[in-house]
């Protein structure tokens, strides 16, 4: 007879953790008299009935001894064993659950609730079941703990928090492997535990037949077998999972619903793809030949697409364009297959963006004048650059990356070379005065000027799309960057302090006043002298005035990681959006985003051109300051800060250094056409401010003035980062706009912190600095 091992559940781990709190060295330690389990918000209360069969568990409350519940003095007698209780066997350490009370309530000797006071001294003779940082265990924290919990991520939105509480008893009985497959846990999954359905049960069985069988009592299993026979045409025991998987792949009858459910959340059923692989018919009838059902079919199509992309190198530009559009027609449908959502069809994702490149690069007739070329780039050309980033971000495996690079080389590079050459010819034809670099934008009261290094025009367009979705009005203007397009030259030129700056050595600038080299610190000082506030990363400033802030490491990352900027740009734009949104919500009327320059990106590498170093004073990747009197076969442009200084720029897309995928400093629409993005909130910002702040040791009483529905207050070391909280928990305001927060860690007393008011969407509405524990 085969012995079946029951799968370990969340409840098993929880019980083991509580038991483990009483572990001690019997050689030199006395056992703790009790394990104290504080639970301020009563999150764990629903679990007590399940745990009483596993633990000697007692509860503080009204006197109901048969249910292990009683007041403090009765509990002390039970713990001391002066009152015998059948729920407390000899040699067992009792667990004392304290609903409605926190660890801090036990520690607060002076303010401890009367009903809890008789138990306070037990914390010195017993142990607390709590986190390493001393905080009480919440359900979410325990699930996510890698040390003693399950190490499973839980989403933090409000719906998930509510679903987690109401599904706790059902979740407790789920196998850990099953929960882990559903990570990160969301409301949909948790509520599904409470309201099971036939379709889900079929998928759960198919995903883990043995585990599902073990979890089913006989009556429940018999009902499941009957359901499978009547509704799905198979017997779980006699036919087995391969037969069921074949029926799933054929999607006939009720199996169509099962397939659609599987397609909605395939990551929750991690073994079903392998079942489908095993079940694919060798000779399928045309009626049942659904390629999308079988992973082998998708893999075969991916391999074909990869080979086709590699073969583009044999074609000229127009033929390669046409071939890519054909491939999109053939493979685009696979983006709707389940394998795409499982990230098993990266080339099917990439071909969509490669097709965009093919469409945009069909037009190489951009006119001859500088303004015509700038206009055409700002109208459509940037879409090709963005599509290259999207295509690169779609793939990870080396073979897939190689295939995408081949396509980019075939359709993007010829177009890029053409428009860069056109741009350089137009700049030369316009003469020294025909290229007008952007002047610093006017900064009026209520405006925050936000500098983002290396925000290329295509990324600014995407930034505008994201902001628009957040109900923020966006306008994007087109300007030309200062030459050469390197930060040392172009950033001071776009700053409000430009009039206080002149050219120095190399591409650097100096102050007019004392000749100091303009670095980031000096530039901020000069901007401040213009009467403009300098905001740190967590600051919001006085919204009635003017401000300058900076962030972003797009350019720095690109120089180090090359084509990987395609992946990094996604998270970088997210941070920029958060900063803009926070500034507008705080009360700034406008946020004007400026940048210094763009950049060229060619994943197969930019070609090299020679420029002897002995002819130059300073040389970068695509530009060089020439020595006085030196000559070279290079296009020369005047330096923005001193027109008599000749600057050589590499022709076409060439670099002066080999092996560069990412570079700037030269003449191209990608490097020179820069955005000025103005963001304006369409709705009035929440008008709140922080009034009185009063500390009583580690407790802070705060008054918030103004109105913001759903606002909460927290104490943090970094205003916009909730992970830096010092308070036990953020709290909402009472009807008078007041809140009291407690800093749990006494060692934090005397440290600098920020009191922040956060909207229901997580945006910082107001903040002020404070010293923990200050009087």
């Amino acid at each position: 007879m085969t012995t079946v091992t029951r799968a370990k559940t969340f409840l098993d781990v929880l019980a083991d953790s509580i038991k483990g709190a009483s572990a001690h060295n019997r050689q030199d330690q006395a056992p703790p008299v009790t394990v104290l389990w504080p639970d301020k918000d009563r999150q764990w209360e629903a679990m007590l009935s399940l745990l009483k069969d596993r633990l000697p568990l007692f509860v503080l409350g009204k006197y109901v001894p048969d249910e292990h519940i009683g007041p403090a003095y009765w509990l002390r007698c039970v713990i001391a064993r002066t009152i015998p209780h059948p729920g407390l066997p000899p040699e067992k350490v009792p667990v004392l659950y304290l609903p409605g009370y926190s660890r801090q309530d036990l520690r607060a000797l002076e303010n401890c609730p009367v009903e809890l006071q008789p138990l306070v001294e037990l914390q010195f003779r017993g142990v607390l079941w709590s986190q390493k940082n001393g905080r009480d265990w919440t359900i979410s924290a325990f699930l996510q703990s890698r040390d003693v919990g399950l190490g499973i991520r839980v989403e933090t939105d409000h719906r998930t928090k509510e679903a987690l509480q109401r599904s706790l008893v059902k979740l407790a009985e789920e196998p850990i492997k099953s929960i882990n497959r559903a990570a990160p846990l969301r409301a949909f999954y948790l509520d599904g535990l409470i309201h099971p359905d036939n379709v889900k049960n079929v998928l759960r069985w198919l995903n883990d037949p043995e585990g599902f069988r073990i979890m089913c009592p006989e009556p429940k299993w018999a009902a499941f077998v009957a359901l499978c026979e009547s509704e799905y045409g198979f017997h779980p025991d006699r036919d087995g999972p391969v037969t069921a998987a074949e029926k799933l792949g054929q999607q006939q009858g009720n199996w169509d619903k099962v397939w659609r459910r599987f397609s909605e959340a395939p990551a929750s059923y991690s073994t079903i793809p392998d079942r489908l692989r095993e079940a694919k018919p060798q000779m399928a009838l045309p009626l049942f030949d659904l390629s999308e059902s079988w992973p082998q079919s998708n893999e075969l199509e991916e391999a074909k697409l990869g080979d086709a992309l590699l073969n583009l190198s044999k074609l000229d530009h127009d033929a390669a364009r046409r071939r890519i559009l054909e491939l999109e027609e053939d493979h685009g449908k696979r983006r709707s297959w389940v394998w795409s959502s499982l990230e098993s069809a990266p080339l099917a994702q990439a071909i969509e963006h490669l097709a965009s490149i093919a469409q945009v690069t069909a037009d190489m007739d951009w006119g001859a004048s500088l303004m015509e070329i700038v206009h055409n780039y700002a109208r459509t050309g940037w879409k090709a650059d963005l599509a290259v980033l999207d295509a690169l971000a779609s793939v990870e495996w080396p073979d897939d990356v190689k295939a995408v690079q081949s396509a980019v080389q075939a359709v993007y590079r010829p177009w890029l070379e053409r428009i860069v050459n056109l741009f350089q010819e137009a700049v030369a034809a316009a003469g020294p005065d025909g290229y007008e670099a952007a002047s610093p934008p006017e900064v009026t009261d209520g405006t925050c000027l936000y500098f983002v290094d290396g925000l290329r025009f295509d990324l600014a367009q995407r930034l505008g799309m994201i902001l628009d979705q957040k109900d923020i009005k966006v306008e994007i203007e087109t300007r030309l960057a200062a030459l050469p397009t390197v930060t040392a030259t172009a950033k001071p030129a776009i700053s409000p302090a430009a009039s206080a700056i002149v050219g120095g050595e190399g591409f650097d600038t100096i102050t007019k006043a004392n000749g100091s080299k303009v670095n980031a610190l000096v530039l901020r000082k000069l901007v401040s002298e213009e009467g403009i506030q300098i905001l740190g990363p967590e600051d919001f400033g006085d919204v009635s005035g003017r401000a300058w802030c900076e962030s972003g490491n797009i350019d720095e990352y690109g120089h180090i990681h090359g084509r990987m900027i395609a992946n990094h740009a996604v998270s970088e734009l997210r941070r920029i959006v958060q900063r803009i949104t926070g500034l507008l919500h705080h009360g700034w009327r406008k946020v004007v985003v400026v940048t210094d320059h763009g950049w060229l990106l060619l994943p197969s590498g930019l070609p090299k051109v020679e420029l002897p170093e002995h002819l130059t004073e300073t040389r970068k990747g695509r530009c060089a300051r020439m020595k006085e009197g030196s000559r070279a076969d290079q296009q020369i442009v005047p330096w923005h800060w001193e027109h008599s200084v000749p600057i050589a720029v590499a022709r076409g897309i060439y670099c002066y250094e080999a092996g560069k995928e990412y570079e700037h400093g030269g003449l191209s629409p990608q490097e020179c056409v820069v955005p000025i993005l103005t963001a304006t909130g369409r709705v009035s910002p929440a008008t709140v401010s922080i009034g009185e702040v009063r500390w009583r040791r580690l407790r802070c009483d705060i008054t918030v003035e103004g109105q913001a529905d759903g606002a909460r207050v927290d104490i943090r070391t970094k205003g916009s980062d909730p992970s830096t909280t010092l308070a036990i928990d953020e709290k909402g305001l009472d009807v008078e706009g007041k809140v009291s927060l407690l800093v749990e860690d006494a060692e934090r007393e005397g440290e600098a912190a920020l009191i922040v008011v956060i909207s229901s969407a997580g945006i910082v509405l107001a903040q002020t600095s404070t010293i923990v524990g200050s009087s």
Side-chain angles (χ1 to χ4, degrees):
M1 181 176 179
T2 303
T3 302
V4 181
T5 304
R6 186 177 63 86
K8 197 167 188 179
T9 66
F10 172 28
L11 180 61
D12 295 329
V13 177
L14 177 64
D16 290 345
S17 175
I18 298 171
K19 288 178 187 176
S22 63
H24 62 284
N25 187 338
R26 297 176 180 272
Q27 302 300 318
D28 59 5
Q29 289 180 313
V33 298
T34 186
V35 175
L36 295 170
W37 179 4
D39 184 11
K40 181 72 173 178
D41 297 325
R42 299 175 178 265
Q43 289 195 13
W44 298 99
E45 206 161 26
M47 296 283 283
L48 298 185
S49 60
L50 300 176
L51 288 168
K52 283 179 180 176
D53 294 334
R54 297 165 177 254
L55 301 171
L57 180 63
F58 294 83
V59 181
L60 176 62
K62 294 183 178 180
Y63 184 60
V64 190
D66 291 343
E67 296 181 16
H68 300 201
I69 303 173
Y73 283 110
W74 178 79
L75 290 170
R76 288 197 57 161
C77 292
V78 171
I79 290 169
R81 289 177 166 81
T82 57
I83 296 179
H85 195 285
L88 182 56
E91 305 298 325
K92 294 288 185 180
V93 177
V95 177
L96 181 49
Y97 176 75
L98 306 176
Y101 302 99
S102 68
R103 175 175 178 268
Q104 201 60 38
D105 291 324
L106 286 167
R107 292 179 57 188
L109 300 180
E110 297 178 359
N111 300 318
C112 181
V114 174
E115 63 275 13
L116 190 62
Q117 288 178 4
L119 303 176
V120 167
E121 65 89 23
L122 292 177
Q123 66 184 303
F124 305 111
R125 295 192 295 125
V127 293
L128 283 116
W129 183 63
S130 60
Q131 301 183 52
K132 284 185 177 180
N133 61 10
R135 295 188 178 184
D136 297 342
W137 279 114
T138 63
I139 303 168
S140 178
F142 187 80
L143 284 168
Q144 296 186 85
S145 171
R146 296 186 180 277
D147 294 326
V148 298
L150 275 63
I152 295 174
R153 191 160 71 87
V154 181
E155 294 290 3
T156 58
D157 61 279
H158 186 64
R159 287 183 59 200
T160 299
K161 289 180 179 178
E162 289 186 341
L164 185 60
Q165 187 69 66
R166 61 176 170 257
S167 67
L168 182 58
V169 173
K170 292 288 186 182
L171 186 66
E173 297 172 342
E174 284 288 297
I176 295 171
K177 289 183 179 179
S178 175
I179 301 174
N180 197 46
R181 285 194 291 267
L185 301 189
R186 297 183 173 91
F188 176 82
Y189 164 76
L190 296 167
D191 283 336
L193 298 175
I194 305 171
H195 306 289
D197 54 64
N198 295 336
V199 173
K200 181 176 180 179
N201 282 337
V202 169
L203 286 171
R204 288 178 62 195
W205 171 82
L206 185 55
N207 189 61
D208 183 9
E210 292 183 5
F212 184 87
R213 176 67 181 89
I214 294 168
M215 293 298 297
C216 276
E218 283 304 323
K220 189 173 182 180
W221 176 251
F224 177 73
V225 170
L227 168 73
C228 291
E229 288 187 296
S230 62
E231 298 294 318
Y232 301 103
F234 82 104
H235 191 289
D237 288 327
R238 292 196 295 267
D239 297 321
V242 174
T243 297
E246 182 178 356
K247 290 179 176 293
L248 174 65
Q250 290 169 343
Q251 303 179 37
Q252 298 299 304
N254 286 338
W255 284 103
D256 177 61
K257 296 178 183 178
V258 183
W259 178 265
R260 282 189 277 115
R261 180 70 64 84
F262 168 61
S263 300
E264 290 170 0
S268 298
Y269 308 101
S270 58
T271 70
I272 287 182
D274 291 333
R275 308 280 187 207
L276 289 165
R277 185 183 300 278
E278 296 169 2
K280 183 179 186 297
Q282 296 299 312
M283 296 290 292
L285 296 173
L287 179 63
F288 300 117
D289 188 16
L290 298 175
S291 295
E292 68 173 291
S293 298
W294 317 112
Q296 300 98 313
S297 299
N298 175 68
E299 290 160 4
L300 179 62
E301 293 301 308
E302 281 284 292
K304 289 180 180 178
L305 178 53
D307 290 341
L309 294 177
L310 290 172
N311 287 331
L312 292 174
S313 61
K314 303 173 184 177
L315 306 178
D316 62 32
H317 178 251
D318 286 336
R321 283 186 49 259
R322 290 193 297 271
R323 180 61 177 140
I324 282 180
L325 294 175
E326 291 172 359
L327 292 171
E328 162 62 9
E329 184 72 21
D330 293 340
H331 293 273
K333 60 187 178 184
R334 289 196 293 115
R335 290 193 291 275
S336 65
W337 289 9
V338 68
W339 314 113
S340 181
S341 61
L342 286 172
E343 300 181 356
S344 296
L347 292 179
Q349 296 290 341
I351 193 63
E352 178 181 20
H353 308 300
L354 295 173
S356 295
I357 300 172
Q359 291 168 341
V360 174
T361 60
D363 181 12
M364 289 197 182
D365 183 14
W366 280 18
S369 75
L370 180 59
M371 286 303 100
E372 281 181 310
I373 295 170
V374 170
H375 170 75
N376 279 301
Y377 179 73
R379 180 175 58 88
T380 58
W382 61 269
K383 296 178 182 179
D385 299 329
L386 188 60
V388 169
L389 295 180
D390 289 340
L392 290 170
S394 300
V395 292
E396 294 181 3
W397 294 104
D399 288 346
D400 295 338
V401 172
K402 187 177 179 181
V404 169
Q405 286 181 340
S406 173
V408 170
Q409 188 79 359
V411 295
Y412 178 70
R413 177 172 174 166
W415 173 85
L416 182 63
E417 290 174 327
R418 168 68 175 157
I419 65 167
V420 171
N421 287 329
L422 281 175
F423 188 82
Q424 292 179 354
E425 292 166 5
V427 171
D433 298 325
Y435 182 103
E436 276 191 58
S439 300
E442 182 181 0
V443 187
T444 57
D445 287 346
T447 299
C448 179
L449 200 60
Y450 181 15
F451 175 82
V452 179
D453 191 8
L455 184 68
R456 199 168 69 169
F457 196 85
D458 55 328
L459 291 183
Q461 291 286 342
R462 173 151 290 168
L463 175 62
M465 298 173 200
I466 299 171
L467 291 170
D468 186 69
Q469 292 172 355
K470 293 182 174 292
D471 207 32
I472 294 174
K473 182 181 178 183
V474 174
E475 294 180 2
I476 300 177
E477 301 176 65
T478 305
R479 295 288 188 272
L480 290 173
L483 298 180
T485 51
V486 293
T487 299
T489 286
K491 181 179 179 181
I494 200 68
S495 77
S499 60
I501 296 170
V502 294
E505 297 182 355
F507 300 125
D508 293 326
T509 54
I510 59 175
T511 63
K512 286 181 180 178
N514 57 20
S516 299
K517 179 181 175 180
V518 177
N519 55 27
L521 185 63
V522 171
L523 182 61
R524 286 193 286 269
K525 183 175 182 296
L526 292 174
V527 172
S528 177
E529 290 172 355
E530 297 292 325
I532 296 174
Q533 306 164 65
I534 304 298
L535 304 184
E538 302 294 333
D539 298 335
F540 292 101
D542 179 3
V543 299
S544 65
R546 301 176 295 161
W548 164 275
C549 65
E550 305 176 29
S551 77
N553 66 346
I554 295 170
D555 189 45
E556 179 183 2
Y557 192 94
H559 281 297
I560 297 171
H561 299 285
R563 63 175 174 81
M564 296 303 295
I565 188 64
N567 304 83
H568 176 73
V570 176
S571 57
E572 196 64 33
L573 286 181
R574 188 181 304 119
R575 283 189 284 270
I576 294 168
V577 167
Q578 289 173 346
R579 183 60 165 151
I580 293 171
T581 306
L583 289 165
L584 291 174
H585 273 272
H586 188 73
W588 290 98
R589 290 198 296 273
K590 289 192 299 185
V591 177
V592 179
V593 181
V594 296
T595 192
D596 45 0
H597 57 74
W599 30 273
L600 292 181
L601 179 73
L602 195 63
S604 54
L606 296 162
K608 182 186 177 184
V609 66
E610 295 297 333
L611 176 64
E613 287 195 51
H614 70 270
L615 298 177
T616 68
E617 287 187 8
T618 302
R619 194 179 75 172
K620 295 283 189 179
R622 278 179 49 78
C623 61
R625 178 169 175 162
M626 304 298 291
K627 288 182 178 177
E628 186 174 353
S630 62
R631 296 288 183 269
D633 183 19
Q634 306 288 322
Q635 183 169 350
I636 302 297
V637 296
W639 189 28
H640 174 82
W641 293 104
E642 192 174 335
H643 282 199
S644 62
V645 174
I647 304 296
V649 290
R651 70 176 183 272
I653 63 171
Y654 284 84
C655 280
Y656 296 136
E657 301 173 28
K660 296 282 188 177
E661 291 185 327
Y662 173 105
E663 195 51 270
H664 59 87
L667 283 177
S668 70
Q670 286 78 7
E671 296 163 282
C672 298
V673 179
V674 292
I676 295 180
L677 184 151
T678 301
T680 310
R682 290 191 176 121
V683 295
S684 299
T687 52
V688 298
S689 60
I690 298 173
E692 183 182 12
V693 175
R694 186 165 60 89
W695 285 93
R696 293 177 288 140
R697 292 294 304 273
L698 296 177
R699 184 172 291 279
C700 187
D701 298 322
I702 303 158
T703 302
V704 175
E705 300 170 353
Q707 182 64 38
D709 294 338
R712 301 179 70 79
V713 184
D714 199 2
I715 303 172
R716 301 173 177 175
T717 56
K718 293 183 179 180
S720 59
D721 187 352
S723 69
T724 65
T725 182
L726 301 181
I728 289 178
D729 196 8
E730 62 183 47
K731 290 184 179 180
L733 300 164
D734 64 18
V735 292
E736 297 180 350
K738 295 181 179 181
V739 66
S740 182
L741 300 177
L742 183 66
V743 174
E744 186 171 23
D745 189 350
E747 295 183 1
R748 295 284 193 169
E749 190 167 2
E751 288 189 15
L754 295 169
I755 296 171
V756 292
V757 181
I758 312 109
S759 73
S760 57
I763 303 299
V764 176
L765 304 176
Q767 70 181 39
T768 188
S769 57
T770 188
I771 301 296
V772 176
S774 60
S775 55

